[in-house]
Amino acid sequence: MATGSGEDIPFLGYVLDEQVGFLLRKAYQRHMTIFARSTIGGLTPTQFSTLFRLFAEPGPISQNALGRLVAMDAATTKGVISRLENQGLLTTQKDPNDKRRYLLQSTERGRALIRDAIPVVKGITEATLAPLTKSERETFLRLLAKLC
């Protein structure tokens, strides 16, 4: 009988509260709650990542390459780009060398939003990791990056 206390179910040998996916989801939910409470310009974490990558690129980048840089599939990338374009934060244009490709670039408004958002997002990271010591944070981030 499950007790809801994280105890092992003897005949299964499984403790949900010790499973990587369950713990990652709970950590992600914590981060998302903090992000939603703190973000600038109504950006979601995915929109921020997309706009940040465009901000960091010196010139236009293909939609496909951007999707890879932010670890999103093509459909998700297209949706995020559409929303950011509708807000005037990025521009899209057909690639003159390949009419099937779109090239993306942040607008000045998008770059200004990223400049304003970076200190806030740094604070979001600090708040997310607040329960950990400095050493634990470094270890956690290094190990998490190793999983990716």
Side-chain angles (χ1 to χ4, degrees), residues 28-54:
Y28 180 72
Q29 287 172 334
R30 171 185 165 74
H31 175 73
M32 290 297 292
T33 298
I34 294 166
F35 196 100
R37 194 172 52 224
S38 307
T39 190
I40 286 182
L43 292 176
T44 66
T46 304
Q47 290 170 338
F48 171 81
S49 297
T50 301
L51 202 53
F52 180 83
R53 290 291 192 201
L54 287 174

Side-chain angles (χ1 to χ4, degrees), residues 40-132:
I40 286 182
L43 292 176
T44 66
T46 304
Q47 290 170 338
F48 171 81
S49 297
T50 301
L51 202 53
F52 180 83
R53 290 291 192 201
L54 287 174
F55 177 82
E57 287 297 315
I61 184 171
S62 75
Q63 184 171 316
N64 188 287
L66 178 64
R68 286 192 307 274
L69 286 173
V70 290
M72 290 188 303
D73 61 73
T76 303
T77 302
K78 186 174 179 358
V80 170
I81 288 167
S82 292
R83 286 186 286 286
L84 293 173
E85 185 176 27
N86 289 340
Q87 294 174 54
L89 301 174
L90 64 80
T91 60
T92 62
Q93 62 184 30
K94 291 238 183 204
D95 185 333
N97 300 319
D98 184 347
K99 297 297 183 199
R100 297 169 297 168
R101 277 182 15 156
Y102 283 93
L103 298 176
L104 313 170
Q105 193 163 15
S106 59
T107 63
E108 183 49 47
R109 183 172 172 215
R111 289 187 293 278
L113 182 57
I114 287 298
R115 282 190 290 272
D116 290 344
I118 287 173
V120 176
V121 174
K122 285 181 178 180
I124 291 167
T125 296
E126 287 297 314
T128 300
L129 299 175
L132 304 177

Side-chain angles (χ1 to χ4, degrees), residues 2-19:
T3 64
S5 65
E7 294 178 15
D8 195 5
I9 300 173
F11 65 94
L12 294 176
Y14 185 87
V15 180
L16 181 63
D17 291 351
E18 295 174 357
Q19 303 307 308

